[in-house]
Amino acid sequence: MAKEGTPDARRTVQRVPTSAAGAASCRPRGHPSAEPGSAGREPKAARDVRVAVCEYGAGNVRSVTIAFTRLGADVATTSAPDDVLAADLAVLPGVGSAAAAMAGLRERGLDEALRTRVEEGRATLGICLGLQLALEESEEDGGVQCLGLLPGRAVRLREGRVPRIGWAPVEPSGDAFYFAHSYAADTPAASAHSEGVVAEARSGAFIGVQFHPEKSGAAGARFLERCLSHA
Amino acid sequence: MPLPRLIPCLDVAAGRVVKGVRFEGLRDVGDPVELGAAYSDAGADELVYLDVKATLENRASFVELVGRVAERLAIPFTVGGGVRSVEDAEALLRAGADKVSVNTAALARPALLTEIAELLGSQAVVVAIDASGGEVYSHAGTRPAGRRATDWAREAQERGAGEVLLTSIDADGTREGYDLELTSAVAEAVSVPVIASGGAGEARHVAQALEVAQAALLASILHENPARLASLRDELRGLGVHLRDAA
């Protein structure tokens, strides 16, 4: 894994020049055909934003729901594709194994709902495993086909202590967020890094973060608030 | 590597934070949700809640408490005490905890670590090890388990534990500093993060522990006083420890 400021990390950042704000912004990159979620619209008040948090049998959904509720959003935890399609912001959280999570998504038809949203340019947020599931594949569990909302694959962390657990600064904003992961995204869509690890990646209306904004105190709340204001 | 972590530990019995010599003469010192929130405001990186009685009768109320903690806190927390099955672990994570710590039950049946890790991920599984003279003790440090701490830590990691919470029974309560020899040995034996526990009396001790471990558990040094955590963080910064800017 590349350290901060190594040629590797710089190259990845340069490929995505619109990412200058990095984790400081949750605005999906403008998509000309996008309706909701497109740039240039007035930010919404949090209370007007309908958030659907995908419930598909993968871990700690409750903390994500609580975090958005605290910000005043209208949050529903759901396994129904229709709810995911109807929301202003869909959230794919998750901890645990990629294979089990993908099976859970497919079983409920949530994989198609998420793809449709992102194709339509509608704001969608992946958190932790949710970022990894958005990639084309993961090397976890001997190789898992993922959603393909983002180019690239999830690879096992090979440096430092793994799982990588704790607070680490996310560049370029410099705010520290909480991470807890053994795999990380290897993607040309990276828009922010932390210690050489992809901290955030985005493509069209999809944004994925490796850290847990719902567990990242004030910095995390600010991040989620920006997600709501651009949903 | 992520920043070194300071982790206040709250002992809970019957829905209240208690203190005292563990398991004897427990004294009520506050509300777990309020104290946890105050530690969070004072800059705690994570929290640990231990159900020190962990009887089957109060299991449901502990899960309910975990749910209330999750509603209030926006930082990660680990819960431990009495986790004996995957179902126990799942209930606690569903309520909003980030990790479960497993001690005696994992010694009795090491496959439990694998089962929890397969369902919830290794990052959610903390193996708690109590050691004295390099040997592991189970049942709250009362029974020798017949294993070296380094061996058990390594096996626990192989079975799926994503973190080691290492308490030195020898150092615990002495306030003379963490057991650096034990902590270093275990940290070298594993590649997962290690949380040092037991023996902190002053900031210097915590700084020493953070040189060999990735996190330090803070119990009696805080006196259940969040203001002490804030001052400790300042002292640690003065000693050159790079802590998170919690603003």
Side-chain angles (χ1 to χ4, degrees):
Chain A
M1 142 196 4
K3 284 272 186 289
E4 212 58 62
T6 60
D8 236 35
R10 275 199 303 271
R11 193 185 61 225
T12 318
V13 170
Q14 278 164 4
R15 261 190 242 151
V16 191
T18 48
S19 69
S25 148
C26 186
R27 185 198 298 266
R29 254 183 294 157
H31 193 284
S33 66
E35 289 167 16
S38 64
R41 204 162 38 78
E42 285 300 306
K44 277 189 181 178
R47 66 177 179 282
D48 299 331
V49 181
R50 286 169 308 151
V51 178
V53 179
C54 296
E55 161 75 90
Y56 58 104
N60 196 346
V61 171
R62 187 158 190 266
S63 298
V64 174
T65 306
I66 290 168
F68 277 113
T69 305
R70 207 180 270 145
L71 293 171
D74 176 7
V75 193
T77 301
T78 180
S79 300
D82 286 350
D83 293 344
V84 170
L85 287 167
D88 299 313
L89 173 67
V91 183
L92 178 61
V95 295
S97 97
M102 278 309 299
L105 288 174
R106 287 198 190 101
E107 232 166 71
R108 295 166 175 80
L110 292 171
D111 56 335
E112 278 311 313
L114 289 164
R115 279 196 198 98
T116 303
R117 278 191 71 89
V118 174
E119 273 163 24
E120 291 175 354
R122 308 184 54 210
T124 306
L125 169 67
I127 296 174
C128 192
L129 182 64
L131 159 61
Q132 297 171 21
L133 296 177
L135 296 159
E136 291 161 306
E137 57 174 343
S138 169
E139 70 174 27
E140 201 180 340
D141 302 318
V144 179
Q145 190 79 23
C146 296
L147 294 168
L149 307 176
L150 288 173
R153 59 201 300 260
V155 295
R156 172 114 186 137
L157 291 171
R158 289 186 175 84
E159 279 183 27
R161 290 189 183 258
V162 179
R164 174 173 180 257
I165 294 179
W167 297 75
V170 171
E171 306 304 338
S173 79
D175 286 342
F177 291 85
Y178 183 79
F179 291 81
H181 60 122
S182 300
Y183 290 78
D186 178 7
T187 172
S191 48
H193 289 80
S194 171
E195 302 178 323
V197 174
V198 172
E200 179 195 285
R202 46 180 74 198
S203 174
F206 182 84
I207 176 165
V209 289
Q210 184 59 66
F211 53 82
H212 286 275
E214 77 282 12
K215 291 287 177 174
S216 293
R222 289 194 295 272
F223 174 85
L224 294 177
E225 201 150 37
R226 284 188 296 270
C227 290
L228 289 175
S229 68
H230 293 106
Chain B
M1 294 292 285
L3 299 166
R5 288 170 282 154
L6 300 181
I7 309 179
C9 179
L10 296 85
D11 287 350
V12 176
R16 302 290 293 176
V17 180
V18 293
K19 72 176 293 187
V21 183
R22 272 198 194 164
F23 305 101
E24 296 165 33
L26 298 176
R27 189 159 63 82
D28 184 331
V29 291
D31 177 71
V33 178
E34 294 307 320
L35 186 55
Y39 277 138
S40 174
D41 290 344
D45 295 302
E46 286 180 31
L47 296 175
V48 169
Y49 285 88
L50 285 183
D51 182 1
V52 295
K53 288 201 167 151
T55 56
L56 288 173
E57 305 87 77
N58 71 22
R59 208 61 208 156
S61 74
F62 188 63
V63 172
E64 185 265 338
L65 169 65
V66 168
R68 285 191 288 123
V69 170
E71 274 162 27
R72 184 67 179 274
L73 289 186
I75 60 169
F77 65 100
T78 301
V79 293
V83 176
R84 296 182 183 89
S85 68
V86 177
E87 291 72 29
D88 289 340
E90 199 181 8
L92 294 165
L93 256 70
R94 276 197 178 278
D98 298 275
K99 315 178 212 178
V100 292
S101 91
V102 191
N103 189 333
T104 299
L107 281 163
R109 197 171 69 80
L112 177 61
L113 297 171
T114 315
E115 292 166 13
I116 301 174
E118 280 175 357
L119 185 69
L120 304 166
S122 278
Q123 86 295 327
V125 187
V126 181
V127 64
I129 301 178
D130 296 337
S132 171
E135 296 289 325
V136 180
Y137 285 71
S138 69
H139 298 83
T142 58
R143 268 188 233 173
R147 311 206 52 174
R148 302 289 301 167
T150 46
D151 293 342
W152 172 229
R154 206 179 287 120
E155 181 187 338
Q157 168 183 300
E158 279 160 14
R159 289 183 179 270
E163 213 164 17
V164 177
L165 168 55
L166 178 68
T167 301
S168 165
I169 297 167
D170 303 328
D172 207 17
T174 63
R175 303 183 148 267
E176 288 173 359
Y178 290 85
D179 187 336
L180 299 176
E181 195 184 332
L182 172 75
T183 310
S184 306
V186 169
E188 278 168 28
V190 298
S191 60
V192 298
V194 175
I195 304 163
S197 161
E202 52 188 273
R204 185 172 52 90
H205 298 150
V206 180
Q208 288 165 345
L210 292 174
E211 282 178 18
V212 292
Q214 286 63 55
L217 198 77
L218 305 173
S220 58
I221 186 174
L222 296 179
H223 294 293
E224 290 74 37
N225 176 7
R228 177 64 187 120
L229 175 63
S231 65
L232 182 64
R233 279 169 54 89
D234 290 341
E235 290 167 40
L236 284 166
R237 286 212 170 93
L239 292 170
V241 179
H242 186 194
L243 296 173
R244 162 176 86 99
D245 181 2

